[in-house]
Amino acid sequence: MTNISILIALLPVLAADGSVTSHEVTRFLAQYIGSEVPGLQYTVVDAKEILFEFAGGFADIQNQKTMTLDTTLMAYSMTKTYTAIAILQLAEQGKIRLDDPMVRYLPSHLYGGHRITIRHLLTHTSGLRNPIPLRWVHLAEQSAGFDEDAALAQVVAENPKLSFEPGRKYAYSNIGYWLLGKIVERVSGQSYDDYVRTNIISPLGLSPLEMNFVIPDPARHANGYLAKYSLMNLLKGFVTDSKFWGGVRR
């Protein structure tokens, strides 16, 4: 999934009392570029409108491609927000209840022996593990041949035990939100992609060029970067397959 802008909480922006001005925010962001990140988009909104926008730096260092407000970026785990909205919409419509057992909507082999509820999955309190590396993550060109159900079944088979009793504590789990996505599909009768497009993206007035499950225009898409001397750069090979990583750019 790609999105047109990323919200990052660098500092309080455009404070109501005027203590922080748009000029000061622009100056801060301009200093942040280069010293911390190659390029960025920064957007501040309220319930009605966009209050402030900024884009600067490079979307592609090697080719000196400028980051603009039209540059698309990967959303990655920000899609969990959309999954949560989808679940809450279905709950609001009375099609599910947050305290329903997960097994009511999923095959029993998907952790059916545990008392995991939809609420547990939403709040990362299910006890489900978060296996690393993320072996199910795949390149866009591999999507057509990707068997999601088989991949999920394999992940569950490899991680059958819970880390703790559901509801006891918080622990982030990609598996939990993967299962929520499957519940959305089972209850709505739509694929996850179609449900989100129809019930979330479209009502927000976003075009396919702004938010989608495909990269609409590779020429407008940003490259991802990690600092060469950083913990994440050191650990990246343990998180995802090396096919996702290019050479050092800088």
Side-chain angles (χ1 to χ4, degrees), residues 102-202:
M102 174 190 72
V103 71
R104 181 173 296 178
Y105 306 99
L106 296 176
S108 59
H109 70 273
L110 297 177
Y111 298 104
H114 303 285
R115 296 183 178 180
I116 300 172
T117 67
I118 292 176
R119 190 185 301 274
H120 289 144
L121 297 176
L122 275 174
T123 57
H124 291 290
T125 57
S126 65
L128 293 175
R129 297 182 177 183
N130 190 44
I132 299 296
L134 311 178
R135 298 191 185 281
W136 60 87
V137 176
H138 54 281
L139 297 171
E141 53 266 31
Q142 296 174 312
S143 290
F146 179 65
D147 188 335
E148 182 184 2
D149 290 335
L152 178 57
Q154 180 177 348
V155 169
V156 172
E158 292 172 351
N159 299 273
K161 296 182 180 180
L162 302 188
S163 297
F164 53 84
E165 182 182 344
R168 282 191 58 192
K169 60 181 181 179
Y170 169 91
Y172 187 90
S173 173
N174 278 299
I175 296 177
Y177 265 72
W178 193 350
L179 294 172
L180 285 174
K182 302 308 288 183
I183 291 174
V184 170
E185 292 184 332
R186 180 66 60 88
V187 174
S188 70
Q190 296 177 273
S191 69
Y192 177 84
D193 298 13
D194 286 343
Y195 182 92
V196 171
R197 287 191 184 102
T198 303
N199 297 280
I200 301 176
I201 295 177
S202 181

